[in-house]
Amino acid sequence: MENLDIVVLRTLRDWRQAGHRALLATVIHTWGSSPRPVGSIMAMCETGAVVGSVSGGCIEDDLIYQYTQSESASALLQGPPVRVKYGISADEAHRFGLPCGGTLELLLEFNPDAQALQSLILQLEQGQLMLRTTELSTGQVTLSPSAAPSELAVNDTQLVNAFGPEYRMLLIGAGQMTEYLATMALFNGFAVTVCDPREEYRGAWSVSGVTLTSDMPDDLVQAFKPDRRSCVIALTHDPKLDDLALLEALNTEAFYIGAIGSRRNNEARHQRMIEHFEQSTESLARLRGPVGIYIGSKTPAEIAVSIMAEVLAVKNGIPLPRDMDVAHAKNAQQLPPNDPDAPNCFIQR
């Protein structure tokens, strides 16, 4: 499954290229609880077709009625951008399915230019982070590249929203756990690449939508060029495959780098890298291991869930302690006492 923003933009482009009138809705403010965060987008065609989301569905229903089914729909679906608020009163919050006290404000852009949408999509497909600036008085759009992600900004004259390329996940090893993790990553909008030079593992691969390669992992990391929207996870338990790939990843801006294994295996990996590859405790600080947050996971599927949860937490900027207080964990019966070979996810990161 692709990045939702790109799906929305491509669909909107296709509608406009086909000559349909359409609107682009962007969440620009929220107060209290809100179903979707600031920056979320949705597109709607004059036929009533919708892609993306700005709420749980009730606001979408209202927009569909107002701009495609009401008596004034034809007159409304044009002109400069307009701002619309939902959930201002308790009754409205209940009517539109917003959480108690929730209010959100949308900017509606009518009939965005198809060529500008195409230019934005091409830049995103090439891995470029882009800023899309909309003049509120006219709806005129300008595009500019950005070196770093930024929050949506809106004032009385313009809206500036950042759009990034797809998040990418590179998985080393094509085993069963990788299949579970790759499946979840696809549904969370990651483009997934799996690398395994071992034919016996590649031959059993069954997840569609994933790029599967037989390259040596360290070579592929170099070719993959991980950036700040990329993560690299080693899942083979084989140092010959994992270690060099992880070392290459540490030289990149990948937002998440980690490896599966017990605490003892993780300590041994660090020691190998320090002794044989001129690493230090400081240079290995970004290397996560064992990967995954504690959920009591034991099966490959459950461990994959814990890894995906940690990746998403890091991606979304949620603080995660690198090490759990072992004494607290024992008191909570989360860790087997004195067991450095505990499975991958018996320790919270």
Side-chain angles (χ1 to χ4, degrees):
M1 183 177 292
E2 291 185 293
N3 177 288
L4 182 58
D5 284 352
I6 295 179
V7 172
V8 171
L9 294 171
R10 283 178 180 155
T11 305
L12 179 59
R13 174 203 60 191
D14 293 344
W15 287 336
R16 296 294 293 132
Q17 287 180 340
H20 294 297
R21 293 185 300 170
L23 66 79
L24 176 66
T26 304
V27 179
I28 59 173
H29 286 300
T30 63
W31 296 268
S33 301
S34 176
R36 298 283 285 138
V38 168
S40 300
I41 61 172
M42 179 206 83
M44 184 180 71
C45 185
E46 62 182 341
T47 63
V50 169
V51 61
S53 175
V54 293
S55 78
C58 296
I59 290 177
E60 285 83 351
D61 290 344
D62 186 69
L63 290 172
I64 291 170
Y65 174 76
Q66 293 292 335
Y67 290 94
T68 68
Q69 298 175 12
S70 69
E71 293 182 359
S72 57
S74 296
L76 291 174
L77 201 61
Q78 58 186 334
V82 298
R83 300 167 91 150
V84 181
K85 285 185 180 180
Y86 286 93
I88 296 175
S89 68
D91 287 343
E92 285 179 313
H94 177 74
R95 174 189 169 197
F96 294 114
L98 294 173
C100 181
T103 302
L104 59 82
E105 183 177 13
L106 306 177
L107 182 77
L108 306 182
E109 299 176 52
F110 302 105
N111 305 315
D113 180 68
Q115 186 56 51
L117 290 168
Q118 174 67 3
S119 298
L120 174 58
I121 292 165
L122 287 175
Q123 291 295 321
L124 297 177
E125 289 176 340
Q126 294 171 12
Q128 177 63 56
L129 184 66
M130 297 293 293
L131 296 179
R132 181 179 185 269
T133 301
T134 304
E135 297 299 327
L136 302 189
S137 61
T138 64
Q140 182 68 34
V141 170
T142 56
L143 302 174
S144 58
S146 177
S150 59
E151 300 293 328
L152 177 144
V154 62
N155 55 34
D156 292 338
T157 61
Q158 65 181 20
L159 164 72
V160 182
N161 200 5
F163 290 92
E166 291 180 299
Y167 278 87
R168 299 184 297 157
M169 179 180 287
L170 174 58
L171 301 175
I172 310 301
Q176 184 183 36
M177 188 185 303
T178 306
E179 292 192 359
Y180 291 123
L181 182 55
T183 300
M184 286 183 283
L186 290 171
F187 277 100
N188 280 283
F190 284 76
V192 181
T193 299
V194 173
C195 172
D196 202 322
R198 303 169 298 180
E199 185 176 354
E200 61 272 23
Y201 284 87
R202 295 196 317 276
W205 184 259
S206 61
V207 179
S208 61
V210 170
T211 300
L212 181 64
T213 80
S214 60
D215 297 335
M216 290 302 295
D218 54 323
D219 292 335
L220 184 61
V221 172
Q222 290 184 352
F224 192 79
K225 294 181 172 57
D227 55 20
R228 281 175 284 185
R229 298 173 74 88
S230 305
C231 59
V232 179
I233 308 173
L235 300 171
T236 72
H237 290 287
D238 185 343
K240 297 189 299 297
L241 298 177
D242 291 346
D243 286 8
L244 292 178
L246 293 169
L247 288 169
E248 290 292 344
L250 288 170
N251 292 324
T252 72
E253 295 184 313
F255 75 88
Y256 183 102
I257 304 166
I260 200 171
S262 67
R263 285 172 287 159
R264 175 173 288 171
N265 288 339
N266 180 63
E267 292 168 1
R269 179 185 301 111
H270 278 239
Q271 192 61 35
R272 286 195 304 272
M273 291 180 171
I274 291 171
E275 289 183 0
H276 302 294
F277 296 101
E278 300 180 348
Q279 297 297 307
S280 65
T281 301
E282 291 74 20
S283 67
L284 297 174
R286 295 173 57 217
L287 178 57
R288 295 175 176 270
V291 286
I293 62 175
Y294 176 75
I295 57 172
S297 50
K298 295 179 175 64
T299 68
E302 291 175 346
I303 294 173
V305 169
S306 77
I307 297 172
M308 191 72 236
E310 185 177 57
V311 170
L312 292 175
V314 175
K315 167 185 170 290
N316 295 333
I318 304 301
L320 288 174
R322 278 301 186 93
D323 295 297
M324 184 178 183
D325 184 328
V326 176
H328 173 75
K330 291 177 182 177
N331 291 336
Q333 296 182 342
Q334 293 178 328
L335 289 175
N338 303 318
D339 184 3
D341 291 315
N344 182 66
C345 292
F346 274 103
I347 184 165
Q348 184 173 347
R349 309 203 30 80

